[in-house]
Amino acid sequence: MTKVFISKGSAATQEQRAFIDAVLEMLDTVGLSARIMGENEWSHEQPLKAIRKIIKECDGAVVIAFTRTQFDEGLELRKDQTLPISNIKLPTTWNHIEASMAYSYELPLLVVAENGLKSEGLIEDGYDWRVYWTDMNPEEVKSDSFKGFLQSWKTAVEEKKFSPSSAEVDLSKVGLGKLVSMISLPQLWKLIGVLVTVIAIVAGGSYKLGAGKWPWQEEPNKQIQPTQKPRG
């Protein structure tokens, strides 16, 4: 199954847990294997190192962002002004960290965020992806809009997985037939053209060095007979 990394915080409410379970079940239904730190992935290493290794082995990433921190009033400090803000909801910082790591490996991102979250960092539109905003009702996962959003992202994941550049190939272990099959038709014609040019250059040089004869027209070298000393 195609492996995808899941970035999410620990569920604090039954509603959050139910929505997460619904998303994971849908991923399994469409043939995607979810890898989740602390649930089906464990490591003795520090989190960032372990997460990086797992993300590197995946073909896509899902970010499920929901409220982790909330406060009613506060201030936003900018360069030349201070702005009052209210009803602020923030997700876990790990959503931003893990999404950034996945993006650095060029993994397609599916970002699902709770309505009302502060739109900033990786949890906002305007990058290489759109955010799917939701009330986190488990029934939403069964909607046509969510399924369409998911299918579009899944197509990008499969393209990433099966693209020739996504796999490191050891050319010493690849047969000629397999190597040729990995080359596109335009690339193959270019390669043939280069080979023909090289052969022509080598043959032309040999013709000149052979005093107007092609290499296959050369007579075999005559053995040099030892000089006989005159009898005294």
Side-chain angles (χ1 to χ4, degrees), residues 78-223:
R78 296 190 178 182
K79 183 178 180 181
D80 298 321
Q81 58 183 331
T82 301
L83 300 177
I85 53 179
S86 60
N87 193 27
I88 301 302
K89 298 179 180 180
L90 303 174
T92 174
T93 305
W94 285 99
N95 283 150
H96 297 286
I97 295 173
E98 291 164 344
S100 298
M101 294 173 70
Y103 185 70
S104 70
Y105 283 107
E106 299 184 350
L107 301 188
L109 285 172
L110 175 66
V111 182
V112 182
E114 179 184 5
N115 284 330
L117 282 180
K118 189 173 182 2
S119 179
E120 64 179 358
L122 279 298
I123 314 299
E124 63 178 316
D125 293 313
Y127 294 104
D128 290 345
W129 61 88
R130 290 177 54 199
V131 178
Y132 189 93
W133 295 96
T134 173
D135 288 331
M136 298 195 69
N137 184 336
E139 293 300 316
E140 174 73 15
V141 178
K142 302 177 183 178
S143 68
D144 291 339
S145 60
F146 185 86
K147 289 180 179 179
F149 203 83
L150 175 64
Q151 183 57 49
S152 175
W153 167 77
K154 181 174 180 273
T155 299
V157 171
E158 291 173 341
E159 290 175 352
K160 167 68 176 176
K161 179 179 180 179
F162 296 109
S163 64
S165 61
S166 65
E168 295 181 358
V169 180
D170 186 351
L171 296 180
S172 65
K173 299 180 181 179
V174 178
L176 180 60
K178 178 65 174 178
L179 185 60
V180 172
S181 67
M182 295 169 60
I183 302 175
S184 65
L185 187 58
Q187 291 173 328
L188 183 59
W189 280 115
K190 288 182 180 179
L191 178 60
I192 293 174
V194 171
L195 291 176
V196 171
T197 301
V198 171
I199 292 172
I201 293 174
V202 173
S206 299
Y207 183 83
K208 291 181 179 179
L209 292 175
K213 295 182 179 181
W214 296 106
W216 54 84
Q217 294 176 325
E218 293 290 337
E219 296 180 359
N221 292 331
K222 296 181 179 180
Q223 295 184 354

